[in-house]
Structure formats: structure tokens, C-alpha cells
Amino acid sequence: MAEDNNKNNNNNTDNHDDEYEKVCSICRRPESKAGKMIQMGMGIYVCADCMQRSMDTIMKGDFNYDDMMKLSKDIPGIHFMNMADLGGEIPNKQKIKKKKEGEKRVPLIDLKDIPAPHKIKEKLDEYVIGQEYAKKVISVAVYNHYKRVATDTMDSIEIEKSNMLMIGPTGSGKTYLVKTLARLLNVPLAIADATSLTEAGYIGDDIESVVSKLLAAADNDVEKAEQGIIFIDEIDKIAKKKETHSRDVSGESVQQGMLKLLEGADIEVPVGSNSKNAMVPLVTVNTRNILFICGGAFPDLEDIIKERLNKQASIGFMADLKDKYDNVDNLISQVTIEDLKKFGMIPEFLGRLPVVFTLDALTKDMLVKILKEPKNAILKQYEKLLELDEVKLEFDDDAIEAIAEKALERKTGARALRSIIEEFMLDIMYEIPKDDNIGKVTITRAYIEKKGGPLIEMRTAGLLPG
């Protein structure tokens, strides 16, 4: 019986190992690149090239391993590789999924299954409030992109990628829009932050690390990753630095380095690491079918737009006043490529992001809708939490407006809503479990403005709240 269990365990281990490629313990190349591996025992595999080089080194001179190890102890700073260090189990996040023989490339989304733009927008409407223009643009761009991926070519005419640049104030829903989109399409999504990216050789993440994150999101399946979406946030932080005399390692040079990624190229990326110098396998990912969406708040871009508009309307007797555009709502929607160049984005980078669109700043009415209407609205979440304590939670319309007004004052968009609600719900969430007789709590404007308390109703004996 014990022997049967051991056999089953061994078979399970072998089947599990068959899913992943073997990796050379010296050069870290997978077997798909280096060829058949030589098993050395203790989980160590060596490719034929490294084995040949090792044999050549030994044959050239009087090689005495014990003497070398003694020497490394006597002289500080010298270290010789110990074969025992090469062994050990490699974690799954650093293993490359093996492609089965004869297996053909299968698109993640079949041409028949690609939802039409209006259907994508309908789904986005369930989660994202407002931003009608942005949802329309992103729906069309994604629809065209996955048609391109599913067909690979159309009558031998190569269709260019529809990479996007999303501009909008903080808290307007840029990241949330992309997350919702990837969830609806069921494709791998990687969200990276441009602020951590630097030119190769400097402290920070290499530019290729954004592709490495997508590979991890695709469970190290290269073909799956090659059809995913990468969202690069805070893209405005890699603008050219103005009037600087130091080397710009995280600005224009990062834009230059990202050009080949955006256009489509074979990129060597480390598996399960952000650095190429880490002792992990390297794998080649083609970015031709990866959709890149870049987003940023672009602070001070409105000043550049105002300057351009004032220059156009400040000549002659009919000249406009210079402060004419100071109180214009959503002035950022009038952005042009020239404004972005002046901000510090290089023309080559902007040329690879053909779809440029803006998100509106959130108004009071939009914030009220965000609180109430989406499938996972914040108020619905708290209602559900108190429902688990058999207590009904209600919000007056005036109270909801008061929350929206407070959020507008903070000028951080929808992000402010959660912190405001957490603040006034703290005492309620603390006190409710103390008294089993509480049946209903109503939040009022007076409570939000700290001028009164919530309305509390006791439950009828033996009855739960409706």
C-alpha cells in the first residue's frame, strides 16, 4: 500500500515537472533555447554548451577543486562556485510553461466571441459612472485590437496597433476603467508604474520589467502574455526634465527605451524578477500583439493649454481677456499633441500612442452616482457588511450629497469617498455589535457634518429588519 502511494506521488511530481521547462543552472537559459539538458542530480540541469565550456576549462590546466576552495577561504573577495549551490527547487513563479509538441497558437479571444464596442461599453457602464467619451473610445480601440489579434492578418494588410494614451485628473477612474476592461475580456493584465522605471544600468526597474509583470499575470505562459494588456500609470512622470544639467535617467531616456516595446519587438525578460541581472531564466516575449494603455494626470498641462488658447485669441482689437479660460470646466479635453510635446513627451513616443483621449473631472452629481449606482458601489458594500450583523443601513439623499461635497473639497476624485465614509462609519461599526436590539441605522446630513447623530431604530421583538 505504501509503495503504491509512493509511486502515485512520484507520478504526480513527474507530471507537474512536465508542465515547466528545465533551466540550465549555469547560464539560466530554458531548454527551448539551449537544447536538451543534462541531468546532474539534486535538481541540477546543465545545457550542452555550459558542459562543454566546463570540460574545456578543466582540460586546459591542472584543475584542483579542493585547492581552489581553500584558496577562496584564505583570500577575501575570491569565491568559487560550489556545485551544491546550484541545486534546490526553483519556485513556480520562476519556471517557464512548456509548450506541447504540435500545439498551435490559440487566440485568447475567438473572432466570434469578441464583444462589439456597444456591448463592451454597456458592461463598463455597470461599473464605471460617467466618462461616456472615454468608455466609447476605449471600447472601439480594444475591439479593433482583438480583431487584429484573432485574425493575425487581414488580406495580407498589416493592421497597426491601437495603443492608447489616457489623460485625466487624479481619482477620475483611469486605473479602474482598465481593470474593469481586463476583467470583462478575461485577458492577462499588468499594471506598472512609470515612476520606478529607469534607463538600463541605473537603480530602479528596467523598462522590460513591465513585460515581466504581464508574464507573471499570465502564469508564465508566453503565448498568453503576448495577447494581454499592459497599463502603465503615471506616464507623465517620464516627461523630459526642463532646465536640468544632470543625466535624465528616468525621463526622456525611458521614453526612448519604451519605443520598441510599444511598436512591437522581441524582448528578453527575466521570469519572476524585475532585473535581468537576477539569476533567473530569461525568456523572449514578442510585444507586437500586446495592447499598451498609458495613463497620467499631467499636472500643469492645463496651463500649457491656456497659454496656447490665449496666444490664439490675444491679437487685434477683438482680443479676449487673459483670464477667459481660468474657470472653464474640463479644459484638459482641448489638449493637442503640441501641448503634450511642450509638456515634455517626445514626438516618437506620442507617435506610437495613436489613440489619445481625456477623462472628465468628477462633478458632484457624478460622485453621488458613484456612491449609489455601480454593482460594487461603496454604500452597497457597507449595507452588506451591516446586513451580516442583521442590521439594515440606509443613507438619506442629503447625507449622500454631503459626502460628495466633502469629496469635492479634497480634490482627489473618487478616492476621497472611501476615506470620508470610513471616518464616519467607524463609530457605527464599533457600536452596532454591542447591542443586538438595533435593527436599523439611518445616516443623515447632520451626522456627516458632525452636527448630530445617526437615526437608530430598535428591532421589533422576534423580527429581523426588512
Side-chain angles (χ1 to χ4, degrees):
M1 191 75 179
E3 287 177 12
D4 291 341
N5 288 335
N6 288 334
K7 281 180 184 177
N8 289 334
N9 288 336
N10 289 335
N11 288 336
N12 290 337
T13 306
D14 292 341
N15 291 337
H16 181 69
D17 288 341
D18 284 344
E19 289 180 25
Y20 299 97
E21 290 195 49
K22 297 178 179 68
V23 177
C24 176
S25 296
I26 298 174
C27 69
R28 315 306 290 178
R29 290 184 302 166
E31 59 187 338
S32 58
K33 277 192 169 186
K36 194 167 176 65
M37 296 286 167
I38 301 162
Q39 187 168 1
M40 307 293 290
M42 297 186 297
I44 300 171
Y45 294 94
V46 180
C47 69
D49 292 340
C50 291
M51 180 62 78
Q52 186 63 52
R53 277 198 293 269
S54 303
M55 295 304 294
D56 289 346
T57 304
I58 293 167
M59 296 300 290
K60 274 179 188 174
D62 221 349
F63 183 84
N64 190 317
Y65 185 79
D66 291 333
D67 289 345
M68 286 190 175
M69 291 303 290
K70 285 176 188 173
L71 185 66
S72 68
K73 288 175 184 174
D74 296 337
I75 305 174
I78 292 181
H79 175 72
F80 291 96
M81 186 182 291
N82 189 342
M83 287 298 285
D85 294 339
L86 296 175
E89 183 65 25
I90 300 172
N92 282 352
K93 69 175 185 177
Q94 291 178 0
K95 291 181 180 178
I96 304 161
K97 277 281 175 95
K98 188 188 287 185
K99 187 184 175 185
K100 293 174 184 173
E101 288 183 21
E103 189 179 5
K104 292 182 179 178
R105 174 187 172 277
V106 179
L108 279 182
I109 301 178
D110 191 76
L111 187 58
K112 295 174 186 174
D113 298 331
I114 301 171
H118 70 279
K119 289 185 179 175
I120 296 174
K121 186 180 175 297
E122 278 173 18
K123 287 287 184 184
L124 290 173
D125 286 339
E126 293 178 11
Y127 296 92
V128 182
I129 296 298
Q131 313 298 3
E132 297 301 313
Y133 178 70
K135 285 188 286 191
K136 192 175 178 180
V137 172
I138 205 168
S139 299
V140 171
V142 166
Y143 176 67
N144 286 338
H145 174 74
Y146 279 104
K147 271 200 299 186
R148 172 182 177 272
V149 172
T151 56
D152 204 25
T153 182
M154 202 172 282
D155 297 330
S156 301
I157 297 171
E158 190 173 343
I159 303 166
E160 292 294 324
K161 264 203 299 184
S162 49
N163 293 328
M164 291 175 256
L165 176 60
M166 195 189 303
I167 302 167
T170 182
S172 57
K174 297 184 294 293
T175 310
Y176 187 62
L177 195 59
V178 177
K179 276 184 179 177
T180 306
L181 185 71
R183 192 168 65 244
L184 296 176
L185 294 171
N186 194 26
V187 294
L189 167 71
I191 297 177
D193 203 323
T195 49
S196 62
L197 301 177
T198 57
E199 191 179 352
Y202 289 84
I203 292 172
D205 290 345
D206 290 341
I207 292 156
E208 291 85 359
S209 67
V210 297
V211 183
S212 191
K213 285 180 181 176
L214 181 65
L215 186 63
D219 195 23
N220 291 352
D221 187 328
V222 175
E223 290 192 355
K224 199 174 175 185
E226 287 178 344
Q227 301 172 52
I229 297 173
I230 293 178
F231 177 58
I232 306 174
D233 205 359
E234 307 291 352
I235 202 71
D236 49 301
K237 304 302 186 288
I238 60 167
K240 282 195 288 187
K241 307 293 185 287
K242 295 176 179 69
E243 298 173 7
T244 180
H245 300 291
S246 60
R247 185 167 176 81
D248 189 9
V249 298
S250 61
E252 184 182 357
S253 56
V254 174
Q255 290 186 59
Q256 297 278 6
M258 286 180 69
L259 297 181
K260 61 178 180 176
L261 257 72
L262 295 170
E263 193 167 6
D266 288 327
I267 308 292
E268 271 208 341
V269 295
V271 180
S273 172
N274 287 339
S275 173
K276 278 188 175 180
N277 296 325
M279 287 295 285
V280 295
L282 289 174
V283 69
T284 303
V285 177
N286 190 299
T287 65
R288 194 173 70 90
N289 288 330
I290 295 174
L291 181 64
F292 285 86
I293 304 174
C294 300
F298 288 85
D300 304 327
L301 184 60
E302 288 189 347
D303 294 336
I304 294 170
I305 297 169
K306 279 181 201 173
E307 190 183 323
R308 172 174 56 80
L309 294 173
N310 281 325
K311 203 175 283 183
Q312 290 172 357
S314 60
I315 300 167
F317 295 107
M318 301 297 288
D320 288 329
L321 295 171
K322 284 199 171 182
D323 60 355
K324 178 184 175 182
Y325 301 100
D326 286 356
N327 297 315
V328 175
D329 290 333
N330 290 320
L331 186 64
I332 203 160
S333 63
Q334 299 186 43
V335 68
T336 64
I337 296 298
E338 292 304 317
D339 296 330
L340 292 167
K341 285 180 188 173
K342 197 165 185 183
F343 185 85
M345 310 308 289
I346 62 173
E348 301 93 325
F349 184 80
L350 293 170
R352 285 163 174 81
L353 297 165
V355 182
V356 179
F357 61 98
T358 60
L359 278 77
D360 302 332
L362 298 180
T363 61
K364 179 181 164 183
D365 289 341
M366 287 169 75
L367 288 168
V368 167
K369 285 181 179 177
I370 287 167
L371 283 166
K372 296 193 297 184
E373 292 182 11
K375 274 193 171 180
N376 53 350
I378 306 169
L379 299 189
K380 289 178 184 175
Q381 293 175 34
Y382 278 93
E383 285 167 8
K384 187 68 180 174
L385 279 171
L386 283 188
E387 194 182 299
L388 297 172
D389 287 327
E390 298 180 350
V391 177
K392 187 173 183 182
L393 178 66
E394 281 189 0
F395 290 82
D396 279 351
D397 289 341
D398 286 346
I400 294 171
E401 285 190 12
I403 297 168
E405 287 162 13
K406 277 180 170 283
L408 279 176
E409 288 170 14
R410 297 197 182 186
K411 294 183 179 178
T412 54
R415 288 192 181 94
L417 295 172
R418 183 100 198 180
S419 59
I420 292 165
I421 294 172
E422 286 279 358
E423 197 177 304
F424 71 76
M425 284 297 293
L426 175 65
D427 289 337
I428 292 171
M429 302 296 280
Y430 183 77
E431 297 294 337
I432 288 290
K434 285 185 182 179
D435 193 342
D436 292 336
N437 295 319
I438 295 173
K440 184 179 176 183
V441 178
T442 305
I443 307 297
T444 62
R445 178 183 273 270
Y447 181 55
I448 303 294
E449 293 176 347
K450 298 183 178 177
K451 294 176 183 175
L455 299 177
I456 294 175
E457 296 177 32
M458 309 310 281
R459 73 176 78 231
T460 309
L463 293 175
L464 294 177

